[in-house]
Amino acid sequence: MTASTRQRRSPVRIELTALVDVVLLLLIFFMVSARLMPEFAFELELPSARAASEVELHTNELRIAVDAEDSYFLSGEAVTFAYLEARLSDADHPIVVLDADTGASHGAVVRILDAAEAAGIDAVRIAAKLP
């Protein structure tokens, strides 16, 4: 076989530029859409308060919610009060954020505050919406 009859093949190259662009666009899309998703899968009507202010979100806070039917939710999942008490007592979360619906009973909120105090948690924030 002579050199003229042999076909010259260029080395195979995989172009990654388009792939990197697509991955970055997907990353941006998921970052933006994750911020637009509601925090909880249930509806809460927070009471409004004139003294309400925006606070920093901490990574080590425990979010507890009470809906209008006095059901308890821990980080968006429905839980029993006994489970909630157990999680509060063995948690290393110094801050508890309480989201209570306007229609939630006073007793349900007080039970959470009492369980947090019994667990030795010093900071309990009650969420409210700005007027």
Side-chain angles (χ1 to χ4, degrees):
M1 207 169 11
T2 64
S4 61
T5 61
R6 249 189 286 166
Q7 292 182 352
R8 293 193 172 236
R9 294 186 179 184
S10 61
V12 176
R13 291 182 47 186
I14 299 174
E15 293 293 328
L16 294 177
T17 306
L19 180 65
V20 170
D21 289 343
V22 169
V23 169
L24 285 176
L25 285 174
L26 285 172
L27 179 66
I28 291 170
F29 171 76
F30 287 121
M31 286 172 48
V32 169
S33 64
R35 300 187 97 204
L36 297 177
M37 289 182 191
E39 188 168 335
F40 299 117
F42 53 91
E43 293 291 322
L44 279 183
E45 179 63 34
L46 294 177
S48 61
R50 286 180 292 182
S53 62
E54 296 206 17
V55 295
E56 290 182 22
L57 296 177
H58 298 281
T59 56
N60 61 346
E61 67 186 17
L62 193 63
R63 292 194 75 96
I64 301 171
V66 181
D67 66 0
E69 287 82 31
D70 292 343
S71 299
Y72 297 103
F73 297 88
L74 181 63
S75 301
E77 291 185 32
V79 295
T80 63
F81 185 73
Y83 177 78
L84 187 63
E85 279 185 313
R87 279 294 308 270
L88 284 172
S89 63
D90 69 342
D92 58 344
H93 303 284
I95 299 171
V96 171
V97 178
L98 177 58
D99 297 310
D101 191 276
T102 306
S105 71
H106 182 71
V109 174
V110 169
R111 286 179 74 188
I112 293 174
L113 295 173
D114 191 40
E117 183 179 351
I121 296 174
D122 297 330
V124 177
R125 294 182 181 159
I126 299 177
K129 65 181 176 183
L130 296 170

